[in-house]
Amino acid sequence: MIADAAERLRRAKHIAVLTGAGVSAESGIPTFRGEGGLWRQFRAEDLATPEAFGRDPRLVWEWYDWRRQKVAACRPNPAHHALAALESRGGEFLLITQNIDDLHRKAGSRRLVELHGNIWRVRCVAEGAVSELPDVPLREIPPRCACGSLLRPDIVWFGEMLPAEPLDRAFRAAESCDLFLVAGTSALVQPAASLPLLAKQRGATVIEVNPEPTPISPLVDISLQGKAGEILPALVAALGPTP
Ligand code: BJW
């Protein structure tokens, strides 16, 4: 299976990759829906919606401050490094991530779009200005902008539109790639989950890496069952030297 997937990757002229929380699981960052997942312990409606933030910004920020501390203690794992190595082989490439943890960038990925935002960025609720807030832990909760208004995490919550430019780049890559690799996502959250299906409709080979089956598993061309931190390095190693 790995050899077949590697052969298709080697032949591909344009590769798009979609990652989800499973890719960061081996770095120690909890996923959302599996065993030990965040949505098993917390209600998304209380913490990850604009309504929750409107009701209780302190509660929402306390949760994000806890998550920021967790993420700050984590490092990229072999899955992140393998994807950075895949990009560095050249050719048309885009890494589309739903993750907000910045670990792909830390591993060296550059042709990267973050569909659901970034945990280190904040946005002023009044002015919309986006900035980095690296403090861990936060000095004040909830943090405020210089203008006095509340800052919010620059993260896409349920019921919110995804940022237009990254979403547009992701859809264009899914439409035009000849190989779409999807790793570590339950493929339940829209619109990200529709990207591999769009790629498949447009004729791309779709390869999935996940220890568990997902709703897209019956539709993909190759399903590599296992951990991203094991499968992705093996896949990239099987490609052989960069041409
Ligand atoms: C491993 C592994 C290892 C484990 N190696 N793998 C009804 C029907 C259809 C759609 C909707 C609906 N009602 C509402 C919607 C829209 C909604 C949606 O899709 N909901 C579904 C849940 C039903 N989507 C939205 O609201 C989006 N906006 C939108 O659509 O705007 C238009 C619109 C507006 C209003 C109404 C309707 C439409 C926004 C979505 C924002 C998602 N935000 C979150 C949280 C951000 C907050 C935060 O992080 O702080 O983003 S939700 C959460 O899920 C997070 C993730 O990015 C996202 C995806 O999760 P992911 O990455 O797939 O993680 P898991 O945990 O689900 O899966 C992990 C996988 O890894 C598993 O498969 C494991 O097996 C695997 N794994 N270890 C490899 N070592």
Side-chain angles (χ1 to χ4, degrees), residues 27-41:
S27 294
I29 299 178
T31 61
F32 290 91
R33 295 172 182 81
E35 209 177 300
L38 292 169
W39 298 153
R40 297 269 181 108
Q41 308 164 57

Side-chain angles (χ1 to χ4, degrees), residues 183-226:
T185 177
S186 58
L188 290 170
V189 174
Q190 295 295 347
S194 64
L195 293 168
L197 304 180
L198 176 61
K200 177 81 187 150
Q201 279 167 10
R202 296 294 174 102
T205 295
V206 180
I207 301 173
E208 182 179 47
V209 178
N210 200 310
E212 305 290 336
T214 73
I216 65 164
S217 302
L219 309 166
V220 304
D221 297 284
I222 302 180
S223 182
L224 300 173
Q225 280 207 346

Side-chain angles (χ1 to χ4, degrees), residues 19-23 25-26 30-34 37-39 47-48 63-64 67 98-100 116 119 155-162 183-191 209-214 226-229:
T19 62
V23 161
E26 290 156 81
T31 61
F32 290 91
R33 295 172 182 81
L38 292 169
W39 298 153
L47 298 164
W63 190 61
Y64 277 99
R67 288 186 54 209
Q98 299 167 84
N99 298 344
I100 58 170
H116 292 165
I119 199 161
I155 282 175
V156 183
W157 286 325
F158 281 113
E160 293 189 311
M161 302 303 283
L162 276 67
T185 177
S186 58
L188 290 170
V189 174
Q190 295 295 347
V209 178
N210 200 310
E212 305 290 336
T214 73
K227 293 181 172 182

